[in-house]
Amino acid sequence: MAQYKNIIVPTDGSVNSKRAVEHAVIIAQASKAAVTLVYVANIVSVISNFDHIPNSSGYVTEQVAMDMEKEGKAVLADFAKNIPDNIEVNSVFEVGSPGPAILSVAKKNNADLIVMGSRGLGPIKGLFMGSVSSYVVTHSTCPVMIVK
């Protein structure tokens, strides 16, 4: 069996990301691995929904960024408190495109495994909307486990 030292778990607060954490915990306990929770705020996609709002002062952008950081850190804290005390837990909040940001964190942390939830969009919606899990599986240099 492969020995894992650092497992990366992207989280977004969804049911599938909670399931991914559960699987990562089982693997981490068996391997004595650390778990690094990652929340990526995709501010570009959120701000693009505000095209119709005048933003000469940048207030809207700044407020959205602050709200996203607050939400992301709350999700990370909520997930971290459910991980047993005998597992080392790290939390990382990033801003950017989710796929590349997850892989960047994995590389910086010498990840042995990425365990992430699938959004369950199905092949048609995934084709049109893009899929973070597909991106990570395609571009990762370490094993990736997708949890449904």
Side-chain angles (χ1 to χ4, degrees):
M1 178 175 165
Q3 276 301 116
Y4 301 109
K5 291 186 171 99
N6 195 6
I7 301 169
I8 303 296
V9 187
T11 59
D12 60 7
S14 69
V15 171
N16 284 338
S17 67
K18 287 180 183 178
R19 287 187 190 123
V21 170
E22 292 169 1
H23 285 270
V25 164
I26 292 167
I27 296 167
Q29 286 177 322
S31 299
K32 297 183 173 80
V35 171
T36 300
L37 302 172
V38 181
Y39 184 99
V40 181
N42 190 353
I43 196 165
V44 174
S45 70
V46 172
I47 291 174
S48 68
N49 294 327
F50 293 105
D51 286 345
H52 59 281
I53 298 174
N55 189 18
S56 58
S57 70
Y59 173 77
V60 171
T61 304
E62 185 177 327
Q63 188 60 48
V64 167
M66 288 172 29
D67 290 347
M68 290 180 77
E69 183 173 2
K70 182 178 178 184
E71 177 186 343
K73 288 185 175 179
V75 168
L76 288 168
D78 185 48
F79 278 50
K81 74 180 182 188
N82 292 314
I83 296 177
D85 292 338
N86 64 335
I87 296 174
E88 178 187 339
V89 181
N90 303 296
S91 296
V92 177
F93 174 84
E94 290 284 331
V95 176
S97 180
I102 291 164
L103 293 177
S104 175
V105 170
K107 184 176 182 179
K108 285 179 199 170
N109 288 279
N110 297 315
D112 302 302
L113 176 67
I114 300 172
V115 180
M116 62 189 299
S118 166
R119 287 184 53 199
L121 296 174
I124 302 300
K125 284 186 181 176
L127 181 66
F128 290 113
M129 296 176 68
S131 170
V132 175
S133 56
S134 284
Y135 182 90
V136 171
V137 166
T138 303
H139 296 91
S140 179
T141 57
C142 69
V144 179
M145 173 188 242
I146 305 297
V147 179
K148 286 185 116 184

